[in-house]
Amino acid sequence: MTEALKLTELSKTFPVGRTLFGSATGSVKAVHPVSLTVQQGETLGIVGESGCGKSTLARMLVGLLQPSGGQIEIEGVALDASDPAEFGKRIQYVFQDPISSLNPRKTIRQIMEAPLKRLHGMPAAERRRRISEIFDSVNLREEFLDRYPHEFSGGQAQRIGIARALAANARILILDEPVSALDVSVQAQVLNLLADLRAEFDLTYLFISHDLAVVEAVSDRIAVLYFGSVVEIGPATEIFAAPKHPYTKLLAQSAPVVGRPLSAPEATGTELPDPLNPPPGCAFAARCPRASDRCRAEIPELERAGASDVACFHPLTE
């Protein structure tokens, strides 16, 4: 298979606080060095609690944030973080809130034309033809092109957002909670559309979501993030059915299931570590029932465990 996306030690650190002379008084590591590969045509799900670094990672991949370190390669080409246009041609972002991601002052036609003009320099006739093809692919009528974003439902607006991403002719899409703002029935329509588009255009997806059932249903593999690091990555069919990292098991137990009473899988008041004062060793040790002295002193690396790679000194065996 062809590598669509390769990350090598990609990281992001944000400065915090300022002295009188403008220098930072501290820093927060939002994403620790991450290395992973996504194959062409694959859907990689990315899950984790709020604040674990999912969206920061996604924004680096599309050039909205400049990495603090590491390298991004798309189809074998190393991208320069200072050249956002090159990112736009190769990878595009579908946002969580479909309405707010569209410029309210522009018609849908103007929104759709922007990537065709700025990234590809298409003449007017070719733009019209390309937009017509894309709208047909996402099951939207061409009469919508002369309307404004506020005139559409959430499902229609999200399909417009997907169409805008396709207009750039990128083969990799970052889907950041693409159905979380939609009704359940509309979610199914959008997910089916994404599956059809992936097959039609040979697209590669990075699918970010809090909804574990959705991620499991649409993904080929799933990466689990905790405190800015990948703690487990493996096949979607295995990652929640037979988790190897205690945090992955905690996520699976925390997800609400129809017909099952809600119950807290861990003690009340348990929180993520303080990012301004991260603990030594494994960041999950304070919440982990299997933690040992080694866990509190050393940071585990990803190692093979069954069908998955897991960063844990004491991986689960059942």
Side-chain angles (χ1 to χ4, degrees):
M1 296 181 69
T2 304
E3 288 185 357
L5 177 67
K6 182 178 179 181
L7 310 183
T8 305
E9 297 293 305
L10 192 69
S11 65
K12 181 62 180 179
T13 301
F14 291 101
V16 294
R18 294 289 177 183
T19 65
L20 182 63
F21 299 101
S23 60
T25 58
S27 63
V28 170
K29 288 187 176 181
V31 176
H32 296 262
V34 170
S35 297
L36 57 84
T37 300
V38 185
Q39 302 298 325
Q40 184 65 41
E42 182 182 24
T43 296
L44 176 68
I46 301 178
V47 300
E49 294 170 301
S50 296
C52 71
K54 302 188 301 296
S55 293
T56 300
L57 177 62
R59 283 170 167 77
M60 286 192 288
L61 295 181
V62 295
L64 293 177
L65 284 177
Q66 187 162 348
S68 301
Q71 181 174 269
I72 302 170
E73 293 180 47
I74 296 180
E75 297 177 333
V77 178
L79 297 188
D80 183 352
S82 64
D83 184 7
E86 190 61 29
F87 278 84
K89 293 177 183 178
R90 297 178 179 273
I91 187 167
Q92 281 288 321
Y93 204 116
V94 177
F95 295 87
Q96 177 177 357
D97 187 341
I99 298 295
S100 64
S101 70
L102 302 174
N103 190 330
R105 296 187 178 186
K106 294 185 180 294
T107 65
I108 303 305
R109 186 183 302 277
Q110 291 172 318
I111 290 171
M112 290 291 297
E113 284 185 331
L116 300 178
K117 285 181 179 179
R118 296 180 181 277
L119 296 179
H120 300 287
M122 282 189 185
E126 192 173 348
R127 290 200 303 268
R128 287 194 295 270
R129 181 189 59 79
R130 176 65 176 156
I131 291 171
S132 177
E133 291 176 351
I134 295 170
F135 256 49
D136 183 61
S137 296
V138 298
N139 303 320
L140 290 172
R141 300 195 300 272
E142 287 192 51
E143 64 192 67
F144 290 171
L145 288 169
D146 297 315
R147 299 181 187 177
Y148 288 86
H150 71 272
E151 300 180 64
F152 297 96
S153 67
Q156 289 172 330
Q158 191 59 292
R159 280 188 280 166
I160 292 169
I162 295 168
R164 177 180 58 183
L166 292 176
N169 208 28
R171 298 181 65 190
I172 303 175
L173 298 188
I174 306 294
L175 307 169
D176 191 356
E177 300 275 5
V179 296
S180 64
L182 308 178
D183 293 337
V184 174
S185 59
V186 180
Q187 286 184 15
Q189 295 173 14
V190 172
L191 291 174
N192 286 333
L193 172 63
L194 288 170
D196 293 341
L197 293 173
R198 185 177 78 153
E200 181 179 355
F201 297 108
D202 191 25
L203 300 174
T204 302
Y205 293 155
L206 271 72
F207 195 105
I208 301 170
S209 180
H210 287 93
D211 191 328
L212 304 187
V214 169
V215 171
E216 187 176 19
V218 304
S219 302
D220 299 303
R221 289 188 302 146
I222 295 175
V224 182
L225 266 65
Y226 182 76
F227 204 58
S229 297
V230 176
V231 297
E232 185 169 359
I233 182 168
T237 53
E238 298 286 337
I239 202 82
F240 296 122
K244 298 297 184 291
H245 198 285
Y247 177 64
T248 308
K249 182 178 180 180
L250 174 66
L251 279 182
Q253 292 176 336
S254 302
V257 176
V258 175
R260 187 179 75 183
L262 291 175
S263 59
E266 58 181 344
T268 303
T270 305
E271 297 180 354
L272 287 165
D274 181 1
L276 291 173
N277 185 27
C282 176
F284 189 65
R287 303 171 63 181
C288 181
R290 303 169 66 88
S292 64
D293 290 340
R294 183 186 182 191
C295 301
R296 298 180 181 91
E298 300 178 32
I299 299 176
E301 301 289 336
L302 283 171
E303 295 183 356
R304 199 69 179 172
S308 302
D309 292 328
V310 58
C312 183
F313 295 124
H314 310 291
L316 302 171
T317 57
E318 296 182 0

